[in-house]
Amino acid sequence: IGSFRMNHLHPPFNDVRVRRAVMMALSQEDYMTALVGNDRALWRPLPGFFTPDTPLYTEEGGDILKGPRNIDAARALLREAGYT
């Protein structure tokens, strides 16, 4: 992210717990299917924040996007951050 500072994010996303909760709850595969459709030639389920095969693509930090979603853990993080 370079010189971008996380404290410039707007609530609730200025709280790392909220950002982690979103990543724990969302399914990249569901999102891409809704956005692009079922044609797997148009997308791949890879744990990254940037488009594959582009200079910025990396799976570094993408572990939270792998595996099954954990809605209960995401809810717990949101409660811890003060959200219901």
Side-chain angles (χ1 to χ4, degrees), residues 35-50:
L35 185 68
V36 181
N38 291 321
D39 185 352
R40 288 295 180 102
L42 299 175
W43 63 275
R44 292 177 282 179
L46 297 171
F49 299 101
F50 295 100

Side-chain angles (χ1 to χ4, degrees), residues 19-40:
R19 295 192 305 273
R20 286 185 181 147
V22 169
M23 288 189 288
M24 287 176 156
L26 293 182
S27 164
Q28 183 184 37
E29 189 167 341
D30 290 346
Y31 175 82
M32 292 304 295
T33 300
L35 185 68
V36 181
N38 291 321
D39 185 352
R40 288 295 180 102

Side-chain angles (χ1 to χ4, degrees), residues 11-22 73-84:
F13 299 105
N14 59 332
D15 189 318
V16 68
R17 296 169 295 190
V18 174
R19 295 192 305 273
R20 286 185 181 147
V22 169
R75 284 185 180 133
L77 277 175
L78 289 174
R79 280 191 300 275
E80 185 181 306
Y83 292 91
T84 57

Side-chain angles (χ1 to χ4, degrees), residues 51-74:
T51 306
D53 302 325
T54 62
L56 294 177
Y57 180 75
T58 179
E59 292 185 21
E60 186 71 31
D63 288 342
I64 198 168
L65 300 173
K66 296 178 183 177
R69 305 297 76 208
N70 192 337
I71 303 297
D72 291 334

